[in-house]
Amino acid sequence: MSLVSTTPQPVPDWAETHPVPMRDGVRLATDVYRPAEAAEAPAVLVRLPYDKNSRYVFMEEVARRFVARGYVLVVQDVRGKFRSEGEALGLVGEAWDGYDTIDWIVRQPWSNGRVGMFGDSYYGFTQWAAVSASHPALCAIVPRVTAVDMPSLTPVSRGTVTDPPWSAFAAYIVECWTGRWLQEPDLDWSLTPLTEVFEDAFRRMGERAPWYDRLIPEPTPHVVFPDGHPYNARPVPTLHVVGWYDNVVLHSMRDYQSLMSRPAHAPLQYLYADSIDHENYHLSLVPIQESDDHNLDDDALERMLAAYLDPALEFFDVFLARTASPETIPRVRWHLGHAGWRESASWPPEEAVPYTLHLTDLAAAEGSGTGLLTPEPPDREQSVSWDHDPDDPVPSAAENSFAFLHAYPDERHTGDRADVLRFDAAVCTEDLDLAGPVDLYLRVSSTAPTADVHAKLLDVAPDGSCHMISRGQGVLTAPDATRLVRIEMTHTGYRLRRGHRLRLHVAGSDYPEFAPNPGTGDNPWTAEHRRVGRQTLWTGPGPACRLELRRFVLQY
């Protein structure tokens, strides 16, 4: 799963290479893969920072399948990365570079004037950046496991709850955006303040990442979308590909829901949701063996490519090549974990009905005990307290959350910690199918100025093993025992099998995935002094702490 590459890998013999000029004269290294028999064809553009010729992004294999379908595949190193000129800034410049590259494509003799875009993560973001610039030739995009507004490293306010600083994303920036190559310095997460973890890495690498410096410890003004936000741009047919176990699924689903709420955009939004993580490992393959690891095994990669590319090819056939009708693809296609694929006209599906579980018997959750998740709300006021110690945070379950399913950690012992509240539902006597958003509503007070809440919904098997279904986190900016706050725990499609039970963990930290709350109100990136905060969870007949889910029930 290593991204490390100190030099560009060889360009395949059948790729045409071009230094494509941008409006400021910087030239971006670009490979073109073309069908031999086609005079003019639609093109699919991929713009990425991970070396367009590396095994990690397997673009030659992608090209073979696109070309066989009649498309030209154009793959480009973004500005400042690998063979491309310029400075590796991250985010900045992608809108106009995308526009200029599309403009170059449509002027080529092999182009029929229609362009689509495809790709994961950062090369999903470069699609949104190009959308913001509104080139008229851009006809369709397939952004996978990504977000319009790349997950922020500084709190984004959502009322009284903000997104916590994501220290794992800071690590990504250090590793992928420090200079031209990809690097993998060993990060010492024991260092304080938190910025010292990354400053230590920069000293050892001998250079810095401008993107990091724009955001940490305080964000500085920078323009990502000079022509306006993608939500306000010309509507473009979009296939949102999300993973239930992806660490940016919450941001991906916010994009989908935001665009579905806009009348001009909604008819062009499609959703494809699979039981995958950010690195495309699938729930059906856990535990991942080397023979099933597409990052290591070529046969495994070959097997993975069908699921990876077929939805995009079908989508491009409709909206780019125009060789198929929109009626041939469902508006929503989603994977029900442990059960298989489903289709629906909307998300959540019309067959998904509200399913609520209340947090009760709070006193039993004290220490390493277990409270209850019950359909009935509590009949009296209850509370339970726990300490958040920023010097002894709850450890993150997976070392690499981007490849969460590769690790697929058993989290049963996390609930044994005194600083983790544990709540169990009854054992299922029949399969329980969940489909839709997962939201946790809590009342929390704290001795600290702010309080972090990290929640996980888990599947407990008969043997006691415990695996994550979904998670959510937030910083409560004004903890108040009387105020009910919502923690978005993303979305899921998951079958809880008979004999299993649901479990909820509530904690005050998840480190090093997220920056720990220092307990002082200071900036979590730079705080040198930390203080233990005592947090208290409250519930009662009203308002009651509860977990709101959707139960998928097929009507016959």
Side-chain angles (χ1 to χ4, degrees):
M1 292 179 291
S2 174
L3 292 176
V4 175
S5 179
T6 55
T7 57
Q9 298 304 298
V11 178
D13 293 340
W14 63 294
E16 304 169 6
T17 61
H18 302 270
V20 175
M22 302 293 102
R23 64 188 63 186
D24 61 355
V26 168
R27 296 175 299 177
L28 304 186
T30 306
D31 297 343
V32 176
Y33 301 86
R34 294 196 289 133
E37 66 283 357
E40 294 183 354
V44 175
L45 171 63
V46 178
R47 305 189 60 252
L48 49 76
Y50 307 121
D51 182 8
K52 58 184 171 56
N53 306 118
S54 68
R55 170 62 171 75
Y56 175 68
V57 298
F58 44 82
M59 279 298 134
E60 185 177 12
E61 288 73 19
V62 172
R64 294 189 197 283
R65 285 158 179 79
F66 273 94
V67 167
R69 196 79 155 228
Y71 296 100
V72 176
L73 187 71
V74 181
V75 189
Q76 184 180 78
D77 289 330
V78 299
R79 180 179 293 249
K81 298 303 295 183
F82 291 89
R83 289 183 170 91
S84 286
E85 298 174 352
E87 185 180 6
L89 295 174
L91 303 186
V92 175
E94 301 296 10
W96 287 347
D97 286 353
Y99 185 101
D100 293 350
T101 303
I102 294 171
D103 212 47
W104 177 85
I105 289 172
V106 299
R107 288 186 279 107
Q108 303 310 301
W110 40 259
S111 171
N112 73 353
R114 298 180 61 80
V115 179
M117 293 186 73
F118 170 82
D120 302 20
S121 194
Y122 191 88
Y123 47 118
F125 163 78
T126 58
Q127 297 173 61
W128 289 120
V131 166
S132 76
S134 294
H135 196 290
L138 184 57
C139 300
I141 62 171
V142 182
R144 303 182 81 263
V145 293
T146 191
V148 170
D149 298 302
M150 292 294 281
S152 177
L153 301 182
T154 53
V156 176
S157 178
R158 301 184 186 278
T160 58
V161 181
T162 68
D163 295 333
W166 191 15
S167 40
F169 195 71
Y172 158 78
I173 291 175
V174 171
E175 294 168 358
C176 296
W177 290 91
T178 302
R180 186 164 299 277
W181 318 124
L182 305 176
Q183 306 187 56
E184 199 171 85
D186 290 328
L187 299 178
D188 185 353
W189 292 104
S190 69
L191 297 175
T192 56
L194 184 55
T195 50
E196 185 58 22
V197 174
F198 309 111
E199 294 297 336
D200 174 65
F202 288 141
R203 285 193 293 269
R204 286 184 279 116
M205 291 188 290
E207 53 186 337
R208 303 184 64 82
W211 186 358
Y212 175 94
D213 288 332
R214 289 200 309 271
L215 292 176
I216 298 174
E218 296 287 351
T220 56
H222 58 282
V223 178
V224 176
F225 304 122
D227 297 307
H229 196 274
Y231 290 178
N232 301 320
R234 176 179 63 86
V236 175
T238 302
L239 178 63
H240 302 257
V241 181
V242 308
W244 299 139
Y245 293 88
D246 179 23
N247 52 12
V248 299
V249 61
L250 176 60
H251 306 275
S252 300
M253 291 302 297
R254 284 173 179 169
D255 288 340
Y256 172 73
Q257 292 175 311
S258 294
L259 290 167
M260 285 296 294
S261 71
R262 295 171 178 249
H265 292 260
L268 301 176
Q269 307 306 307
Y270 291 74
L271 179 65
Y272 185 92
D274 200 357
S275 297
I276 56 171
D277 61 22
H278 199 78
E279 295 287 351
N280 294 299
Y281 293 109
H282 202 278
L283 178 66
S284 63
L285 296 177
V286 296
I288 306 296
Q289 305 299 317
E290 186 169 325
S291 59
D292 285 324
D293 189 342
H294 58 266
N295 198 52
L296 300 175
D297 187 276
D298 288 342
D299 290 336
L301 174 61
E302 187 70 21
R303 294 192 297 272
M304 187 272 284
L305 281 171
Y308 181 77
L309 294 176
D310 285 356
L313 289 166
E314 293 170 4
F315 192 75
F316 287 136
D317 286 349
V318 172
F319 292 105
L320 184 56
R322 294 177 173 173
T323 56
S325 166
E327 288 71 32
T328 62
I329 54 176
R331 291 300 301 272
V332 177
R333 191 181 308 172
W334 56 281
H335 191 263
L336 181 64
H338 304 302
W341 284 98
R342 304 290 186 270
E343 295 179 0
S344 57
S346 61
W347 184 263
E350 291 183 359
E351 300 89 350
V353 298
Y355 180 66
T356 301
L357 292 172
H358 295 87
L359 281 64
T360 61
D361 199 14
L362 265 58
E366 187 101 38
S368 57
T370 306
L372 298 177
L373 292 173
T374 64
E376 302 79 22
D379 58 4
R380 57 184 174 80
E381 188 76 2
Q382 304 175 28
S383 67
V384 61
S385 298
W386 78 101
D387 289 336
H388 160 62
D389 184 351
D391 290 321
D392 182 25
V394 177
S396 300
E399 183 177 351
N400 177 8
S401 67
F402 291 90
F404 185 86
L405 288 175
H406 192 281
Y408 199 52
D410 181 350
E411 303 188 46
R412 74 178 87 184
H413 297 302
T414 303
D416 294 336
R417 290 178 58 112
D419 55 355
V420 177
L421 302 183
R422 181 171 56 195
F423 298 88
D424 275 0
V427 173
C428 286
T429 57
E430 60 182 19
D431 292 343
L432 172 65
D433 291 343
L434 303 175
V438 180
D439 288 308
L440 178 62
Y441 290 86
L442 298 175
R443 288 193 283 142
V444 176
S445 62
S446 178
T447 60
T450 64
D452 288 14
V453 171
H454 294 266
K456 286 190 176 182
L457 181 65
L458 303 133
D459 175 346
V460 184
D463 65 1
S465 60
C466 187
H467 293 95
M468 188 186 78
I469 299 171
S470 66
R471 70 171 184 177
Q473 51 281 321
V475 181
L476 312 189
T477 54
D480 185 341
T482 66
R483 181 185 296 122
L484 198 66
V485 297
R486 173 190 176 215
I487 302 297
E488 296 175 87
M489 295 183 65
T490 71
H491 293 243
T492 191
Y494 189 85
R495 171 167 290 177
L496 188 75
R497 291 157 291 181
R498 185 177 62 179
H500 292 232
R501 72 166 78 227
L502 289 174
R503 174 171 290 171
L504 177 70
H505 284 171
V506 179
S509 51
D510 182 354
Y511 186 72
E513 179 75 5
F514 295 93
N517 191 317
T520 59
D522 295 331
N523 187 319
W525 297 106
T526 56
E528 297 194 22
H529 302 290
R530 299 175 173 181
R531 187 166 60 215
V532 174
R534 188 149 183 86
Q535 300 177 172
T536 303
L537 178 67
W538 303 81
T539 194
C545 295
R546 64 188 186 275
L547 190 63
E548 291 193 355
L549 309 132
R550 295 283 184 128
R551 181 173 186 173
F552 182 68
V553 181
L554 280 175
Q555 304 294 326
Y556 295 100

